[in-house]
C-alpha cells in the first residue's frame, strides 16, 4: 500500500472517531412514521357487478356457493346475501377479487332499498369484555355464540322480498354448489343468463 493511500485511510479513521464517539451495542428500533398519507382511491365495481347479479364465491368458508350482490360498501367490499334460506349464506362483506360474476341477474328493488342504509359498521364485531379463560370455556360450552337480534331482523328484511320473487329453477340454481368436473375447461366457460330460454341440462357451467 502506498504512503499516500495509507495516510488517506488514517485521516478518514481519525475523522470517524471524532464524529462518532459512542456506538450503541444493539440497533435501536425507531417507530415507523409515514411522511405522506396516501389517499384511498375509491374501488371501482367489476364489469357486470350490478345490484342483483349472481356471483360465485371463489375462496373462504362459502367457496363454490352462489350469492346475490347487493351493493358496494364504502370500504370497497361487496355486500352479498345467499339468500340464507336458499343456500345458507348470510349477509356478508366479500372482497370483489374473490367473486366470479355471472350474467344472471335477479330483480332486487325492494331488497336494494333495505340495503341502502347498511354500511361497514353493521358488520363490525362487538367488543367482548375480558374474562378469565376458565369462565370463557364454561360460558361458551353452555351458551355458545348467538347472532344479535338486529342482524337477524336485517337478514329477514333483505332476504324476504328476494325469495318471494325467485322461481323454482332459480332457487335450485342458487342452492347448487359450483364445482369443476373432468373435461371442463374454466377458461372456455361462458356463464350465460338463466333469464334466457336455455335448457338447464345442456348448460354445464350453470349447474356444475
Amino acid at each position: 500500500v502506498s504512503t499516500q493511500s495509507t495516510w488517506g485511510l488514517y485521516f478518514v479513521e481519525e475523522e470517524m472517531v471524532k464524529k462518532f464517539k459512542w456506538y450503541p451495542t444493539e440497533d435501536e428500533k425507531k417507530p415507523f412514521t409515514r411522511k405522506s398519507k396516501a389517499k384511498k382511491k375509491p374501488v371501482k365495481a367489476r364489469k357486470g357487478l350490478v345490484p342483483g347479479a349472481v356471483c360465485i364465491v371463489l375462496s373462504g368458508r362459502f367457496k363454490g356457493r352462489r350469492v346475490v350482490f347487493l351493493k358496494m360498501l364504502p370500504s370497497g367490499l361487496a355486500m352479498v346475501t345467499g339468500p340464507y334460506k336458499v343456500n345458507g349464506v348470510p349477509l356478508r362483506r366479500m372482497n370483489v377479487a374473490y367473486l366470479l360474476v355471472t350474467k344472471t341477474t335477479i330483480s332486487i328493488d325492494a331488497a336494494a332499498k333495505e340495503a341502502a342504509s347498511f354500511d361497514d359498521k353493521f358488520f363490525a364485531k362487538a367488543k367482548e369484555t375480558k374474562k378469565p379463560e376458565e369462565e370463557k370455556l364454561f360460558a361458551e360450552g353452555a351458551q355458545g355464540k348467538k347472532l344479535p337480534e338486529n342482524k337477524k331482523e336485517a337478514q329477514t328484511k333483505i332476504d324476504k322480498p328476494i325469495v318471494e320473487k325467485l322461481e323454482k329453477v332459480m332457487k335450485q340454481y342458487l342452492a347448487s354448489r359450483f364445482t369443476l368436473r373432468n373435461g371442463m375447461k374454466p377458461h372456455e366457460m361462458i356463464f350465460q343468463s338463466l333469464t334466457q330460454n336455455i335448457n338447464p341440462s345442456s348448460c354445464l357451467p350453470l349447474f356444475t
Side-chain angles (χ1 to χ4, degrees):
V1 181
S2 63
T3 311
Q4 188 176 359
S5 62
T6 308
W7 278 103
L9 288 172
Y10 173 75
F11 285 122
V12 170
E13 289 177 359
E14 190 177 2
E15 287 178 4
M16 290 284 288
V17 171
K18 287 180 180 178
K19 190 175 181 180
F20 304 101
K21 293 183 179 180
W22 177 81
Y23 293 90
T25 55
E26 296 180 359
D27 293 335
E28 295 180 358
K29 293 182 179 179
K30 295 181 180 179
F32 175 76
T33 53
R34 192 180 295 276
K35 292 181 180 180
S36 60
K37 292 183 179 179
K39 293 181 180 179
K40 291 184 179 180
K41 296 180 180 179
V43 180
K44 294 181 180 179
R46 186 176 291 184
K47 186 180 178 181
L49 195 61
V50 294
V54 177
C55 306
I56 299 170
V57 183
L58 302 177
S59 180
R61 178 183 170 189
F62 299 102
K63 183 171 61 176
R65 288 292 183 190
R66 292 176 170 89
V67 294
V68 180
F69 172 75
L70 297 172
K71 70 168 191 174
M72 291 294 293
L73 295 167
S75 62
L77 299 175
M79 182 178 176
V80 299
T81 184
Y84 183 75
K85 286 188 177 181
V86 177
N87 55 19
V89 182
L91 283 170
R92 287 181 71 87
R93 291 183 297 179
M94 289 192 179
N95 194 328
V96 185
Y98 301 113
L99 291 177
L100 179 63
V101 186
T102 67
K103 292 184 179 180
T104 305
T105 55
I106 300 171
S107 177
I108 59 162
D109 296 335
K113 290 179 181 178
E114 293 289 344
S117 59
F118 290 88
D119 55 6
D120 294 285
K121 292 180 182 179
F122 173 78
F123 297 96
K125 292 182 180 179
K127 292 183 180 179
E128 297 180 357
T129 54
K130 291 185 178 180
K131 295 180 180 179
E133 292 185 2
E134 293 182 359
E135 290 184 14
K136 281 185 179 180
L137 290 171
F138 287 114
E140 288 178 2
Q143 297 179 359
K145 291 183 179 180
K146 291 184 179 180
L147 193 70
E149 291 297 327
N150 65 329
K151 292 193 175 182
K152 288 182 181 179
E153 291 175 3
Q155 185 77 59
T156 306
K157 284 182 181 179
I158 293 175
D159 284 358
K160 189 177 180 182
I162 297 175
V163 176
E164 287 176 353
K165 291 186 178 181
L166 291 179
E167 298 178 359
K168 186 179 179 181
V169 179
M170 186 59 74
K171 284 183 179 179
Q172 292 175 354
Y173 172 59
L174 290 173
S176 62
R177 188 185 290 270
F178 176 79
T179 53
L180 294 174
R181 297 177 183 173
N182 291 337
M184 294 176 66
K185 300 176 181 178
H187 61 282
E188 293 181 358
M189 289 183 180
I190 298 174
F191 295 88
Q192 296 176 344
S193 174
L194 265 183
T195 55
Q196 301 173 2
N197 295 325
I198 300 171
N199 182 11
S201 61
S202 64
C203 192
L204 286 175
L206 292 175
F207 289 90
T208 56

